[in-house]
Amino acid sequence: MKPVKEQAEAFIRQCYKELGKEDQTGMRIEEIRRSFDETGLYRHTGEELVHGAKMAWRNANKCIGRLFWDTLSVHDARDAVTEDDVYKALVEHLRTATNGGRIKPLITVFAPEKNGVQPVKLYNHQLIRYAGYEEDGTVTGDPHSVAFTRFCESLGWQGAGKDFDLLPLVFQVAGGEPVWRTVPDEVVREVRIRHPRIQGIEALGLKWYAVPAIADMDLEIGGIRYPAAPFNGWYMGTEIGARNLADEDRYNKLRDVALAAGIEAGSNASLWKDEALVILNQAVLHSFQEDGVSIVDHHTAAAQFRQFEKQEATEGRDVTGDWTWLIPPVSPATTHIFHETYDNTEKSPNFHYKSK
Ligand code: ARG
């Protein structure tokens, strides 16, 4: 890893070039050098933060939705310091991102780490997520949330114990104690899953939320780490229909879907799972579309990714990617991505999993 100073300079050069402000690069780098000398760190301007966050999305190797990187909205919440400030910013994030169903890609950036202290720490995996309760080996709700749900309970939160309970927002400011706050219902859009032709699907009582807002990744720009920077796009249907509701270690609904559709869950070779998968994914796309909530199918998303690849080539940038994540979990070989290879080198700015 290069020293922060050098990472800062490399970022400024590229950022200012992309913004058509090359003439100001030298001055800004001088200013940053002075800041390092005086304080040992530097602070991004609003413009650098906005463009840096967009670049991080553009460099997110796992993401198939990157065509829209330049449309990202950025909320600068670096001055949110109290619990009330943080709660307000998170609720505002969900309200703005939901946008009545026309989902807006949005990131809210809280203050970076300073002298080893994290001004804001988020404990949620996503801002909206369903609880999971484990009792003698069986789970009610989302098994992915079991550990976090227990943590919430240890803080005094109590859920209804149902399949789709909204978890609270859990965060900490200035190294204090973690606190939990309920997400107001009015900023949580949910979609009931039903099928355009198969009546029985709706009776399964499945639903999912509209806004996937990842809250547990670090945003890194020019050597500065923003440990609290929740971001969202809109869903690709398969994330819900082929993973969240289908994976055996998630909601595990393929057998119920098959049954509801009158398909015998018999031999592997009958491909009942595959049939159920297609039905469930049709239902997810249909339900979101009918409710006016943004969603993209995997064929369209792949076509958009191809356009992104062309656009980047035109700009003289090479596209890095993680093939294992870019291929959709349904019918991967019907997309061009399956037949390509991708260089998984990590560029900066970027999003990173936390090491702890
Ligand atoms: N796969 C995750 C989920 O199902 C969401 C990841 C981000 N997805 C997105 N479309 N931006 O909840």
Side-chain angles (χ1 to χ4, degrees):
M1 192 52 83
K2 280 195 225 138
V4 178
K5 238 181 183 167
E6 281 171 44
Q7 295 179 58
E9 290 195 23
F11 165 67
I12 294 298
R13 280 183 213 290
Q14 193 185 354
C15 178
Y16 279 48
K17 186 170 154 214
E18 290 183 13
L19 293 173
K21 301 176 55 158
E22 274 151 307
D23 53 317
Q24 290 167 53
T25 305
M27 230 171 58
R28 178 62 177 136
I29 286 180
E30 255 328 294
E31 189 175 70
I32 288 173
R33 280 189 187 147
R34 272 201 306 278
S35 173
F36 269 112
D37 290 344
E38 285 161 22
T39 67
L41 36 86
Y42 79 110
R43 182 183 158 92
H44 289 134
T45 65
E47 192 180 34
E48 289 160 7
L49 187 71
V50 169
H51 197 67
K54 291 179 174 183
M55 290 166 80
W57 183 7
R58 194 177 72 207
N59 290 334
N61 289 355
K62 295 179 164 70
C63 179
I64 193 176
R66 286 180 274 165
L67 175 62
F68 304 99
W69 68 272
D70 201 25
T71 68
L72 180 67
S73 295
V74 182
H75 280 183
D76 183 350
R78 287 178 294 176
D79 55 6
V81 289
T82 67
E83 286 169 2
D84 283 348
D85 290 346
V86 171
Y87 180 64
K88 239 174 101 180
L90 294 175
V91 171
E92 239 358 270
H93 182 119
L94 290 174
R95 193 194 315 281
T96 307
T98 305
N99 191 31
R102 265 187 74 103
I103 310 295
K104 259 193 198 168
L106 171 66
I107 184 166
T108 295
V109 185
F110 293 98
E113 190 174 284
K114 206 171 167 178
N115 309 323
V117 183
Q118 210 171 295
V120 177
K121 179 171 169 171
L122 306 179
Y123 287 82
N124 302 72
H125 161 58
Q126 291 184 28
L127 298 184
I128 299 174
R129 199 67 164 170
Y130 299 125
Y133 313 89
E134 183 172 344
E135 225 185 286
D136 23 79
T138 62
V139 176
T140 305
D142 192 341
H144 183 261
S145 300
V146 165
F148 180 65
T149 302
R150 262 196 226 111
F151 180 61
C152 293
E153 287 168 339
S154 80
L155 297 176
W157 174 82
Q158 222 192 340
K162 301 251 187 46
D163 271 331
F164 297 100
D165 297 347
L166 293 175
L167 286 161
L169 295 165
V170 183
F171 53 90
Q172 172 193 63
V173 301
E177 291 301 312
V179 296
W180 63 270
R181 300 268 185 104
T182 309
V183 185
D185 284 340
E186 43 135 1
V187 297
V188 184
R189 185 76 181 256
E190 294 178 297
V191 177
R192 284 178 304 106
I193 308 303
R194 66 272 187 189
H195 192 276
R197 295 178 302 279
I198 304 168
Q199 299 308 319
I201 299 297
E202 184 162 13
L204 296 175
L206 304 179
K207 61 174 175 175
W208 204 256
Y209 51 85
V211 177
I214 302 294
D216 60 358
M217 289 181 86
D218 290 348
L219 165 65
E220 178 273 320
I221 302 173
I224 294 183
R225 234 165 225 269
Y226 295 94
F231 61 88
N232 72 277
W234 49 79
Y235 264 114
M236 181 163 83
T238 55
E239 298 183 86
I240 302 166
R243 304 299 312 280
N244 300 344
L245 296 177
D247 276 358
E248 288 184 4
D249 60 358
R250 298 293 300 288
Y251 279 83
N252 192 20
K253 292 294 180 184
L254 290 187
R255 191 172 289 272
D256 293 352
V257 168
L259 237 57
I263 298 160
E264 197 193 334
S267 72
N268 284 335
S270 74
L271 302 188
W272 68 268
K273 277 191 190 174
D274 309 71
E275 211 172 334
L277 261 178
V278 170
I279 289 166
L280 183 51
N281 279 276
Q282 287 170 335
V284 167
L285 291 168
H286 164 79
S287 307
F288 272 66
Q289 279 163 2
E290 199 171 68
D291 282 5
V293 175
S294 308
I295 194 158
V296 66
D297 67 84
H298 49 290
H299 303 290
T300 304
Q304 290 167 345
F305 188 72
R306 196 207 293 269
Q307 206 183 323
F308 169 68
E309 292 175 272
K310 288 202 178 119
Q311 187 174 291
E312 289 303 288
T314 310
E315 295 295 331
R317 294 185 291 256
D318 39 57
V319 170
T320 53
D322 183 343
W323 186 92
T324 67
W325 275 66
L326 289 172
I327 56 163
V330 176
S331 311
T334 63
T335 70
H336 78 284
I337 302 170
F338 183 88
H339 307 275
E340 291 283 328
T341 56
Y342 292 91
D343 169 10
N344 197 16
T345 304
E346 297 212 349
K347 296 201 255 185
S348 172
N350 218 319
F351 293 101
H352 300 280
Y353 294 132
K354 297 189 183 298
S355 33
K356 339 154 206 131

